[in-house]
Amino acid sequence: MFIDIAKIRVKAGKGGDGAVAFRREKYEPSGGPYGGDGGNGGSIILQVDNSIRTLMDFKYKRNYKAEDGENGKTKKQYGKKGSHLVLKVPLGTLVKDGDSEKVIADLKEEGQTFVIAKGGKGGKGNAKFATPTRQAPRFAEAGEKGEERFIILELKLLADVGLIGFPNVGKSTLLSVLSSAKPKIANYHFTTLTPNLGVVKVDDGKSFVIADIPGLIEGAHEGAGLGHEFLRHVERTRLLVHLVDVSGIEGRDPLEDFYKINEELEKYSSKLSEKPQIVVANKMDLNTSSEYYENLKEELTKEGYEVYLISAATRKGVEALKYAIWDRLVDIETNYETFDDIIEEYEEVKDIEDDIIVKYEDGMYIVEGSFIEKLLYSTNFEDIDSSRYFQNTLRKRGVVDELKKLGVSENDTVFICGFEFEFFE
């Protein structure tokens, strides 16, 4: 089954909490704080695997989570790091933000990797909070949460040449004789239900990849037929080979077919109409072809198109077409850029220390954010040193000053991540 779009949710591992421990060994009755740091959470990494052709693996499983980091231990032992989760994707996969649908990353190189969700950092153990004035801290730092994202994976095939044209014009047959690909071939509309790829060998060290794009019809850009599902795969091709049935046995005018397909490309994206295009008149082995071919060639030659005459069934003219395609490709620069909007500066890791929100809403003073939440859960409010550290950190981060600007007064209630605190100077 060919799947070229998948919507998934990824969640990186949480960092392990730091440990609160003290050294109590023989001959060391007052050995001091001895808690180790928590391990970092595992990240979720996307990796290109050229052996994968579709996104089918993501059809039935939509949620992915990396391993959490281990909590710190006594004797200043660090917790074990969480294992990274590597998700294999096909070459040519776009990674889009699930909300804006803008491109975060374009994975178009073999073996390319991208960290889509970074694991949370492990919290510090109480040994890291010892100071000359705070020699026995009874608190440690909580681990950070891992990043969580809703993303869209969208496959856009990377091919040098795209075969386009109405259904049943002979694209699959041409692909099979040009390359070693074995697409399904039959004499009815929409035999091809998925894009097919083939490698065409021209000479030693000279080859190109050709993609048979499933049949387009009028209205494809709006969802008619199958074409709208696969128009995205035309985007990355360097050269379009437009196959036209000049036999007339389908009861259509080949010249009208040509213009209708180009109109669909234009409506999908104006950039597609700018791609170089070779016109190929197929089914020349049939008696009715000559008249249609002459009319097609006369009109399109005036417009600057190269028109080649072939019979894919008998292979007449196919060899000459192969070399003509190669000659054109030599002069066309490889460019696999996508037409989609791209997030210009994607920040892989949000600065957790800047994520502090102080506001006055519905008669309440509210303080929240990832950094504050981490600080709150790291605090032992039954310990004076831990409480003092909590208060001093709020002052250093400007939270108290922001509350004052909002008009907070003595004894006012401040909600910090859902917990109630009374404000005192």
Side-chain angles (χ1 to χ4, degrees):
M1 184 181 296
F2 185 83
I3 304 295
D4 55 0
I5 291 184
K7 298 179 180 181
I8 63 173
R9 187 170 293 278
V10 293
K11 186 177 182 180
K14 175 186 175 297
D17 298 335
V20 177
F22 294 90
R23 189 174 182 182
R24 291 290 184 270
E25 299 176 4
K26 193 176 181 180
Y27 309 118
E28 291 286 347
S30 303
Y34 217 27
D37 297 352
N40 293 337
S43 298
I44 294 188
I45 301 170
L46 300 174
Q47 183 178 47
V48 173
D49 186 338
N50 210 22
S51 65
I52 300 174
R53 294 299 181 190
T54 83
L55 297 169
M56 189 173 66
D57 291 346
F58 302 98
K59 178 176 175 60
Y60 302 105
K61 185 177 179 182
R62 302 294 177 88
N63 295 288
Y64 296 86
K65 187 183 183 305
E67 189 178 34
D68 293 337
E70 194 176 47
N71 293 338
K73 303 175 182 179
T74 187
K75 298 185 179 180
K76 297 183 181 179
Q77 294 182 78
Y78 282 28
K80 181 183 175 183
K81 293 180 180 179
S83 299
H84 298 316
L85 178 60
V86 179
L87 304 179
K88 301 291 183 70
V89 298
L91 188 68
T93 299
L94 295 180
V95 186
K96 294 184 175 182
D97 180 77
D99 298 319
S100 68
E101 297 192 4
K102 289 189 176 182
V103 177
I104 298 171
D106 190 355
L107 307 179
K108 54 190 177 182
E109 297 176 12
E110 170 64 18
Q112 184 178 352
T113 59
F114 184 79
V115 179
I116 188 60
K118 187 162 186 179
K121 292 181 180 178
K124 297 175 183 176
N126 69 332
K128 294 286 180 68
F129 291 96
T131 66
T133 57
R134 187 175 59 219
Q135 297 182 4
R138 297 184 178 275
F139 64 95
E141 190 177 45
E144 290 180 5
K145 290 182 178 180
E147 286 188 312
E148 184 174 3
R149 298 186 67 95
F150 169 56
I151 60 172
I152 300 170
L153 301 178
E154 184 174 327
L155 174 61
K156 293 189 177 179
L157 296 177
L158 272 61
D160 301 300
V161 177
L163 275 177
I164 60 172
F166 263 75
N168 209 28
V169 294
K171 297 191 302 299
S172 296
T173 303
L174 180 59
L175 177 68
S176 68
V177 297
L178 277 174
S179 70
S180 57
K182 294 179 174 60
K184 183 180 179 182
I185 300 171
N187 189 29
Y188 55 85
H189 289 176
F190 297 120
T191 306
T192 305
L193 302 179
T194 65
N196 289 306
L197 284 176
V199 178
V200 181
K201 184 178 179 181
V202 180
D203 206 342
D204 289 339
K206 297 179 180 179
S207 62
F208 58 86
V209 178
I210 186 167
D212 168 16
I213 310 300
L216 305 179
I217 63 173
E218 190 174 8
H221 72 285
E222 296 176 334
L226 299 175
H228 74 291
E229 297 180 21
F230 306 114
L231 273 167
R232 69 176 66 89
H233 298 297
V234 187
E235 288 186 22
R236 301 205 196 243
T237 55
R238 297 157 59 194
L239 174 68
L240 297 180
V241 173
H242 194 151
L243 210 60
V244 181
D245 176 3
V246 290
S247 69
I249 60 174
E250 293 283 331
R252 299 192 310 263
D253 185 333
L255 196 58
E256 287 183 15
D257 284 359
F258 175 82
Y259 289 126
K260 283 178 181 178
I261 294 295
N262 277 325
E263 186 179 349
E264 293 306 315
L265 297 179
E266 170 75 30
K267 288 177 178 177
Y268 176 78
S269 171
S270 58
K271 295 181 181 179
L272 283 184
S273 62
E274 300 170 5
K275 285 187 178 291
Q277 194 171 136
I278 287 177
V279 182
V280 179
N282 190 26
K283 303 188 180 181
M284 285 301 296
D285 53 307
L286 300 181
N287 297 330
T288 55
S289 300
S290 298
E291 182 180 345
Y292 284 114
Y293 169 68
E294 292 300 331
N295 184 40
L296 180 81
K297 185 176 182 181
E298 182 181 353
E299 288 294 324
L300 296 186
T301 302
K302 292 177 184 176
E303 298 181 25
Y305 289 102
E306 296 176 61
V307 182
Y308 293 85
L309 183 153
I310 71 163
S311 169
T314 64
R315 303 198 177 193
K316 181 181 178 181
V318 172
E319 196 71 9
L321 174 64
K322 179 173 71 173
Y323 286 102
I325 293 172
W326 175 256
D327 289 340
R328 286 294 300 271
L329 286 175
V330 169
D331 297 327
I332 302 172
E333 184 180 352
T334 302
N335 184 4
Y336 289 145
E337 295 302 317
T338 177
F339 294 169
D340 294 273
D341 293 331
I342 298 174
I343 297 176
E344 297 296 335
E345 295 181 4
Y346 171 67
E347 298 179 7
E348 288 189 16
V349 186
K350 194 174 183 180
D351 190 346
I352 199 165
E353 294 194 354
D354 289 339
D355 187 16
I356 299 175
I357 301 168
V358 183
K359 59 186 178 181
Y360 183 71
E361 193 174 87
D362 298 330
M364 296 185 294
Y365 295 98
I366 299 171
V367 180
E368 56 189 12
S370 301
F371 176 75
I372 297 296
E373 184 178 359
K374 177 185 173 183
L375 176 66
L376 181 69
Y377 287 105
S378 301
T379 304
N380 177 7
F381 290 102
E382 294 180 0
D383 180 75
I384 190 169
D385 285 336
S386 183
S387 297
R388 188 177 290 125
Y389 177 79
F390 176 79
Q391 294 165 4
N392 289 338
T393 303
L394 291 182
R395 291 183 184 278
K396 287 179 183 178
R397 298 296 177 195
V399 173
V400 175
D401 290 338
E402 286 296 320
L403 286 170
K404 287 180 179 178
K405 289 179 183 177
L406 293 173
V408 73
S409 304
E410 289 280 325
N411 302 319
D412 281 350
T413 299
V414 179
F415 291 86
I416 302 180
C417 293
F419 292 88
E420 293 185 27
F421 290 83
E422 204 167 348
F423 183 82
F424 292 104
E425 269 292 348

